[in-house]
């Protein structure tokens, strides 16, 4: 009764009383009491975690607590790095540290002779040493050529992580430095060093055309032109990339992995290892943060080959540094916007030019390019649109999928320009958006008739919640 | 001196892949006591997708979230899924789960119909019971039907289904077409303080109004929005991977790569816009990525509102903001805020 009361009033006193009671009790009782106390804390005071919500029907619309929430809270969730298997080895990868080079020689003899080092492999040991969701331009381990400083060139399996790290120091790699290019604008020029010769550095483009922008600009009362740019950022999941590969005696491979997309990851692993798909099992648990960064394989084929060589399970866990240098990142984008408007602030024409820094490999760049291009005019009714986007190789860390696929970048550009237009025409920023925003049945830049459109409703609701129209000091 | 400013930004964002097929398959098994198991190839990434999928299965079967257990993330046991990418899980995998559950339910209705003396199409599943539409007093427990299906009829109730969003390829010349099945919309408004002597920006408050169709679980939608805003704050003000002239990273660590912490987080106020998407599971669309889309734009518009200086390249570090303030000062233009006050 008292417990229920406390749940209603939100006071936490009974929890403290319980803690006091459990002192000196047998372990089991104490443990039960502790769990009860934690449960009570989780389910009790908060209004949003109404007791028994998970037992109610109908199910949709309920603020049902997550079944995994309790496990997280109690520290019971097993992430991949929490797992361990008998005889398991640890893998570390030697990173190039040079952005563009030919690999002349990799000497692993000294490292191999170290006690505790069980196997070392290079790119030549991966049956098909390439992968990528749309263009298979990424090696599992760079061989013959290095495309960015974070490329792996050799992988070591050792009985401890420390021995594996020490072995990396003993691997000798001879490089012949090649010209490199880091700025996408430079990379687009004729005569720029080619990142993946003989391919052009511009590896994908997209064009969206609707109406006649030139006519739109001619009819415009004012034209606004500006360039916006964004930076490279990392997903920074709390859990780094981690996988464990092990084979059974029937030649079946099991990989426990932090990969977020297991069925497609399995396809890539089958291709790189030249294995039938039914001989691969990919098991994940709960990904400790993905945000697009765990959408494709990284070290898994190398771990599988090392495990095959040694006959023992092999685990690889990326360091925080590797999370930055050897996994995908968000595309920096340079965005040129030219917008023509009427006196009333109605957008008549918009021309957009986007250059995405693709880094060393394609990864999910084509998707990012497409979404950025399609979304770049913003959620506005514009009859005349011309949006052109290019993604360019540079000798930097590869860019790929990241929460928003180019949308946060173009939103920064189109919404900055919207406010510039509003100020110049002396129109309230909310009002100018209301005048231009999509409504039910609007036609998108690709000519798609849009349904369940509530951009105006969201504008009004946010403005009301904020108190946009109320006078401020 | 600290100057206060406000900024607004709205956005649109699609659900699923750009034209390319991105299917999900699902299996729903109803146990002989009326509880259920869902098999999905997607992986929980911390956003609560398995909870949402469980709620969708429960809704279709007329049972409660706790009556459903979701098995995921094992290629040996779970069916094909494109995965937690492109804000697609609730919409695409959710539809697959819903259709799979509907198939299992159909089997239960075939068993229950003769027991209740009606045709299967006259039945509905609600509150853990299978009942006659418009005559709910006439019902049997879903467990009773499931038990009967398995042990008397020898036909355990299970279903499998897949779903792929409907799209039309883009014309290669003009880019015209239907690249996505549906889109979501959102507005965020930010309040900031800008120190005009140091250029430091502090985000004080973000009001977020997001469309996700019907919210299958509003609490998880709110969680996504809060997480998205934290990424947006980092994108706007702090985070940047830096390279030296030879292409090596300068700050590949959390000491020198600055992420927002709880101390940088603004007060967040959330509204879920009322909406219903006919092609989504129970009207749902999705919410994952879009939450991170308008935040930086709203913050940067607020910075301009505060000090009349616009930063054109992210992140808007204190140095960049201060440089923009100094450049604006030389022009001696009134800030939008000063103009508003002057107008009154």
């Amino acid at each position: 009764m008292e417990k229920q009361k406390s749940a209603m009033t939100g006071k936490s006193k009974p929890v403290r009383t319980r803690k006091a009671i459990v002192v000196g009790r047998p372990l089991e009782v104490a443990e039960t009491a502790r769990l009860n106390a934690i449960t009570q804390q989780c389910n009790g005071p908060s209004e949003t975690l109404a007791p028994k919500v998970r037992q109610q029907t109908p199910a949709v619309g309920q603020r049902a607590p997550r079944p995994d929430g309790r496990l997280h809270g109690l520290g019971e969730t097993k992430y991949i790095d929490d797992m361990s298997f008998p005889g398991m080895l640890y893998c570390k990868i030697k990173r190039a540290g040079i952005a563009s080079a030919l690999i002349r020689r990799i000497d692993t003899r000294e490292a191999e002779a170290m006690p505790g080092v069980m196997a070392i492999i290079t790119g030549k040991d991966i049956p098909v040493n390439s992968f990528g969701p749309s263009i298979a331009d990424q090696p599992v381990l760079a061989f013959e050529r290095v495309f960015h400083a974070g490329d792996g060139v050799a992988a070591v399996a050792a009985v401890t992580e420390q021995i594996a790290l020490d072995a990396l120091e003993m691997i000798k790699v001879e490089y012949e430095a090649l010209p490199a290019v880091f700025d996408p604008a430079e990379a687009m020029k004729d005569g720029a060093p080619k990142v993946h010769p003989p391919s052009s550095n511009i590896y994908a483009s997209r064009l969206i055309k609707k109406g006649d922008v030139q006519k739109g600009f001619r009819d415009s009362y004012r034209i606004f032109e500006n360039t916006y740019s964004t930076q490279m950022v990392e997903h920074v999941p709390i859990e780094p990339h981690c996988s464990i590969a092990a084979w059974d005696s029937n030649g079946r491979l099991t990989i426990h992995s932090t990969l977020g997309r297991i069925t497609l990851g399995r396809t890539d692993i089958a291709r790189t290892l030249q294995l039938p798909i039914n001989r691969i099992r990919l098991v994940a648990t709960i990904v400790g943060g993905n945000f697009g960064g765990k959408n494709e394989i990284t070290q898994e084929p190398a771990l599988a080959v090392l495990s095959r060589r040694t006959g023992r399970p092999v685990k690889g866990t990326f360091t925080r540094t590797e999370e930055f240098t050897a996994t995908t990142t968000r595309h920096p984008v340079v965005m040129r916007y030219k917008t023509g408007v009427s006196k009333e602030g109605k957008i008549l024409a918009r021309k957009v030019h986007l250059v995405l820094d693709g880094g060393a490999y394609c990864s999910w760049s084509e998707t990012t390019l497409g979404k950025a291009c399609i979304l770049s005019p913003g959620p506005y009714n514009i009859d005349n649109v011309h949006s052109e986007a290019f993604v360019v190789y540079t000798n930097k860390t590869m860019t790929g999928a990241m929460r928003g696929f180019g949308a946060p970048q173009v939103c920064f550009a189109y919404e900055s320009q919207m406010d510039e237009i509003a100020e110049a025409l002396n129109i309230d920023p909310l009002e100018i958006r209301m005048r231009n925003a999509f409504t039910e049945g609007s036609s998108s830049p690709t000519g798609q008739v849009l349904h369940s459109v509530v951009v105006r409703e969201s504008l009004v609701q946010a403005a009301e919640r904020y108190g946009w129209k109320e006078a401020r000091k | 001196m600290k100057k206060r400013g406000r900024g607004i930004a709205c956005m649109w964002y699609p659900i699923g892949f750009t034209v390319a097929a991105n299917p999900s398959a699902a299996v729903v098994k109803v146990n002989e006591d009326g509880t259920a198991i869902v098999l999905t190839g997607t992986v929980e990434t911390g956003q609560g997708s398995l909870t949402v999928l469980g709620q969708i299965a429960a809704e279709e079967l007329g049972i409660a979230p706790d009556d459903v257990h979701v098995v995921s993330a094992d290629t040996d046991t779970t069916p094909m899924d494109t995965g937690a990418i492109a804000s697609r899980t609730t919409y695409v995998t959710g539809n697959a789960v819903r259709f799979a559950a509907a198939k299992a339910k159909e089997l239960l209705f075939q068993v229950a119909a003769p027991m209740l003396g009606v045709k299967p199409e006259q039945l509905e599943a609600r509150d853990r019971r299978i009942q006659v539409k418009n005559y709910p007093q006439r019902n049997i427990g879903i467990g009773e039907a499931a038990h009967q299906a398995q042990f008397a009829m020898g036909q355990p109730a299970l279903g499998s289904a897949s779903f792929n969003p409907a799209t039309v390829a883009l014309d290669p010349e003009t880019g015209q077409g239907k690249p996505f099945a549906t889109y979501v919309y959102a507005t965020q408004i930010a309040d900031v303080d800008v120190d005009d002597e140091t250029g430091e920006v502090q985000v004080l408050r973000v009001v977020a109004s997001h469309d996700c169709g019907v919210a299958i679980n509003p609490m998880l939608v709110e969680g996504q929005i809060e997480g998205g805003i934290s990424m947006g704050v980092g994108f706007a003000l702090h985070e940047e991977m830096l390279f030296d002239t030879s292409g090596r990273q300068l700050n590949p660590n959390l000491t020198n790569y600055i992420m927002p912490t709880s101390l940088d987080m603004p007060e967040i106020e959330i509204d879920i816009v009322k909406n219903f998407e006919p092609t989504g599971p129970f009207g749902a669309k999705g919410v994952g990525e879009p939450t991170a889309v308008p935040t930086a734009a709203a913050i940067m518009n607020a910075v301009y509102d505060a000090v009349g200086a616009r930063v054109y390249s992210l992140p808007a570090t204190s140095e960049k903001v201060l440089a923009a303030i100094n450049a604006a000062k030389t022009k001696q233009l009134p800030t939008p805020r000063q103009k508003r006050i002057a107008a009154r």
Side-chain angles (χ1 to χ4, degrees):
Chain A
M1 192 63 199
E2 220 176 270
K3 241 191 278 173
Q4 277 179 351
K5 235 183 190 174
S6 74
M8 301 283 278
T9 55
K11 283 176 187 163
S12 56
K13 264 189 184 166
V15 178
R16 247 178 271 144
T17 330
R18 263 178 175 278
K19 270 184 186 164
I21 290 167
V22 300
V23 173
R25 292 274 185 97
L27 188 63
E28 216 173 292
V29 179
E31 185 64 10
T32 313
R34 185 180 71 85
L35 294 185
N36 283 343
I38 291 167
T39 311
Q40 200 186 345
Q41 274 174 323
C42 294
N43 290 343
S46 171
E47 274 175 49
T48 57
L49 300 179
K52 293 188 178 172
V53 65
R54 292 191 57 85
Q55 271 105 56
Q56 294 168 9
T57 57
V60 160
Q62 278 190 37
R63 308 175 70 87
R66 301 155 50 148
D68 54 330
R70 183 182 302 259
L71 306 182
H72 289 323
L74 295 171
E76 286 179 14
T77 304
K78 288 267 180 292
Y79 293 96
I80 304 299
D81 199 33
D82 295 324
M83 295 179 176
S84 162
F85 297 95
M88 190 173 79
L89 304 175
Y90 298 86
C91 169
K92 288 288 165 190
I93 295 171
K94 173 119 180 140
R95 303 285 166 191
I98 181 168
S100 179
L102 292 177
I103 300 174
R104 283 291 175 217
R105 205 164 69 91
I106 304 177
D107 185 350
T108 59
R109 282 172 300 182
E110 218 174 317
E112 270 167 310
M114 289 171 67
V117 172
M118 305 302 283
I120 299 180
I121 59 165
T122 63
K124 71 173 188 317
D125 300 308
I126 309 291
V128 175
N129 191 15
S130 69
F131 68 96
S134 58
I135 304 175
D137 57 0
Q138 183 166 358
V140 176
L141 292 171
F143 192 62
E144 290 173 345
R145 194 182 174 111
V146 169
F147 301 96
H148 76 105
D151 270 338
V153 291
V156 176
V159 293
T160 67
E161 271 191 291
Q162 190 56 54
I163 293 173
L165 279 172
D166 292 344
L168 295 187
E169 301 295 320
M170 307 303 281
I171 297 172
K172 306 272 187 299
V173 188
E174 275 176 35
Y175 298 104
E176 181 187 327
L178 290 172
V181 61
F182 306 115
D183 176 19
E186 289 296 317
M188 287 176 90
K189 288 179 184 162
D190 291 336
K194 282 186 170 158
V195 176
H196 290 272
S199 305
S200 159
N201 284 339
I202 302 172
Y203 59 94
S205 63
R206 169 75 79 190
L207 175 64
I208 307 286
K209 267 197 302 193
K210 187 183 174 188
D212 180 350
V213 276
Q214 293 314 326
K215 186 184 175 299
F217 288 135
R218 280 199 301 276
D219 296 344
S220 293
Y221 166 70
R222 287 267 311 256
I223 290 173
F224 295 82
E225 267 187 283
N226 256 316
T227 302
Y228 309 84
S229 65
T230 61
Q231 75 279 34
M232 185 183 279
V233 302
E234 226 295 300
H235 309 80
V236 201
I238 299 301
E239 174 203 39
H241 289 66
C242 178
S243 287
I244 307 166
W247 298 78
D248 71 11
S249 305
N250 288 331
R252 199 160 189 274
L253 170 66
T254 297
I255 297 181
H256 286 81
S257 175
T258 56
L259 204 57
R261 309 174 68 241
I262 52 168
T263 30
L264 294 153
R266 183 178 59 170
T267 310
D268 284 342
I269 291 166
R271 185 180 159 277
T272 51
L273 297 177
Q274 292 286 284
L275 273 181
I277 285 176
N278 73 336
R279 282 181 42 200
I280 302 168
R281 180 185 185 193
L282 198 50
V283 190
T285 60
I286 287 173
V287 180
N290 179 342
F291 314 114
K294 289 171 180 159
N295 280 336
E296 61 200 303
I297 59 166
T298 52
Q299 58 182 335
E300 288 73 18
L303 299 178
V305 171
L306 286 169
S307 174
R308 189 75 173 168
R309 288 267 171 104
T310 57
R312 291 164 70 162
V314 178
K315 177 197 270 190
T317 307
F318 278 9
T319 60
R320 183 54 65 187
T321 298
E322 285 177 303
E323 286 297 313
F324 282 95
T325 59
T327 74
T328 57
T329 61
R330 190 189 286 289
H331 291 78
V333 190
V334 176
M335 303 168 279
R336 278 209 317 261
Y337 271 69
K338 180 176 176 181
T339 303
V341 295
S342 73
K343 206 169 183 177
E344 297 72 38
K346 180 90 189 70
I347 302 178
L348 302 180
R350 175 162 271 175
K351 193 172 180 188
V352 182
H353 183 273
L354 309 173
V355 175
L356 286 73
D357 186 343
Y361 306 116
C362 176
S363 182
W364 288 89
S365 285
E366 289 195 328
T367 310
T368 309
L369 173 90
K371 280 196 182 177
C373 190
I374 293 165
L375 300 174
S376 66
Y380 302 117
N381 291 308
I382 311 174
D383 291 337
N384 305 299
V385 172
H386 185 284
S387 180
E388 211 171 0
F390 304 91
V391 61
V392 184
Y393 282 128
T394 57
N395 291 104
K396 291 196 305 221
T397 314
M398 59 279 188
T399 45
M402 184 165 176
R403 197 179 199 170
F405 279 109
Q409 293 96 315
V410 295
C411 183
F412 163 59
Y414 65 68
E415 287 301 79
S416 290
Q417 191 165 58
M418 211 61 183
D419 267 25
E420 291 172 84
I421 297 167
E423 193 195 10
L425 300 183
N426 204 17
I427 302 171
D428 181 80
L430 172 65
E431 178 57 31
I432 196 165
R433 287 172 173 81
M434 292 296 286
R435 284 182 197 175
N436 287 285
F438 287 146
T439 53
E440 187 68 21
S442 279
S443 166
S444 80
T446 69
Q448 176 175 358
V449 178
L450 300 171
H451 298 292
S452 71
V453 180
V454 289
V455 59
R456 288 180 190 216
E457 287 80 351
S458 84
L459 280 160
V460 169
Q461 201 165 9
E464 275 173 10
R465 158 88 54 189
Y466 178 89
W468 187 267
K469 286 181 179 162
E470 279 93 77
R472 288 192 326 165
K473 278 183 190 172
Chain B
M1 199 180 135
K2 279 188 178 174
K3 301 275 178 67
R4 182 73 47 93
R6 64 180 189 177
I8 188 168
C10 60
M11 68 106 230
W12 62 315
Y13 196 78
I15 301 298
F17 279 14
T18 320
V19 181
N22 60 116
S24 286
V27 177
V28 173
K29 311 186 282 184
V30 179
N31 301 318
E32 56 273 29
D33 63 352
T35 61
I37 305 283
V38 174
L39 304 185
T40 169
T42 196
V43 183
E44 171 71 46
T45 67
Q47 79 281 48
S49 59
L50 302 190
T51 308
V52 164
L53 297 177
Q55 282 181 265
I56 289 170
E59 182 72 26
E60 185 63 37
L61 294 168
I63 57 181
D66 253 3
D67 300 336
V68 179
H69 175 66
V70 182
V71 177
S72 76
D74 182 344
T75 56
D76 271 11
T77 52
T78 59
M80 190 277 160
D81 196 288
T82 303
I85 182 170
S87 303
R88 58 180 290 290
T89 305
T90 298
Y91 183 77
V92 185
T93 311
N95 264 330
V97 167
R98 184 188 179 177
F99 297 144
K103 285 188 183 170
K105 187 172 76 174
E106 224 173 270
L107 289 171
L108 292 175
F109 282 5
Q110 279 169 21
V111 171
M115 295 168 82
L116 293 167
V118 293
K119 289 177 184 157
E121 51 272 25
Q122 288 171 275
L123 294 172
E124 63 184 359
R126 286 181 77 166
D127 306 325
R128 298 195 175 95
R129 307 198 74 79
I130 292 171
Q131 62 192 32
V132 179
K133 283 178 200 164
N134 303 319
Y135 191 46
Q137 301 92 319
R138 194 158 185 163
N139 65 68
I140 57 166
I142 192 162
E144 202 181 334
H147 191 274
Q148 183 79 2
Q150 185 159 328
F151 294 110
M153 314 299 288
Q155 199 176 22
L158 58 87
S160 69
S162 64
F163 183 79
N164 184 49
T167 59
V168 177
L170 300 181
D171 182 285
E173 296 283 307
T174 62
Q176 296 294 294
K178 184 189 170 188
F180 306 101
T182 188
Y183 301 78
V184 297
Y185 306 88
T187 300
Q188 292 183 8
I189 302 177
D191 258 349
V192 302
D193 264 352
V194 184
D195 187 322
D196 65 359
E197 287 163 304
T198 65
E200 191 185 354
V201 179
Q202 195 182 358
V203 187
L204 304 170
R205 177 185 179 211
V206 173
V207 171
S209 176
H210 279 257
D211 161 39
C212 59
V214 168
I216 303 290
N217 186 327
M219 185 168 65
L220 295 175
V221 172
E222 289 162 9
Q224 283 275 28
I225 293 172
E226 289 176 6
I229 288 170
S230 81
M231 286 191 107
V233 169
F235 184 55
L237 302 175
H238 311 291
E239 296 182 44
E240 182 171 24
M241 295 169 67
L242 299 166
F243 291 81
D244 68 14
T245 51
S246 64
R248 277 189 292 258
Q249 286 184 29
L250 291 166
N251 58 343
N253 55 65
L254 295 180
T255 308
N256 299 317
Y257 179 92
I258 309 301
M259 291 186 74
T261 69
S262 54
L263 296 176
D264 300 301
M265 282 296 282
E267 293 296 321
I268 295 173
E269 296 169 46
I270 295 167
D271 283 301
I272 299 172
V273 184
K274 199 172 177 313
N275 201 359
F276 185 92
E277 169 55 48
T279 64
F282 304 105
K285 294 196 273 193
V287 77
E289 294 169 279
T291 58
V293 172
T295 312
I299 290 170
M300 296 320 297
N301 283 339
V303 169
Y304 183 80
D305 187 53
V307 293
R310 189 164 289 282
V311 176
Y312 289 92
S313 77
L314 297 184
T317 56
S318 300
E319 292 86 343
K320 280 191 205 167
V321 173
L322 191 60
I325 290 170
N326 290 336
K329 264 185 198 159
T330 56
K331 290 184 198 161
Q332 292 195 327
L333 295 172
T335 68
R337 201 174 123 78
Q338 286 165 340
K339 279 193 207 168
R340 267 205 311 281
I341 293 163
R344 276 205 295 274

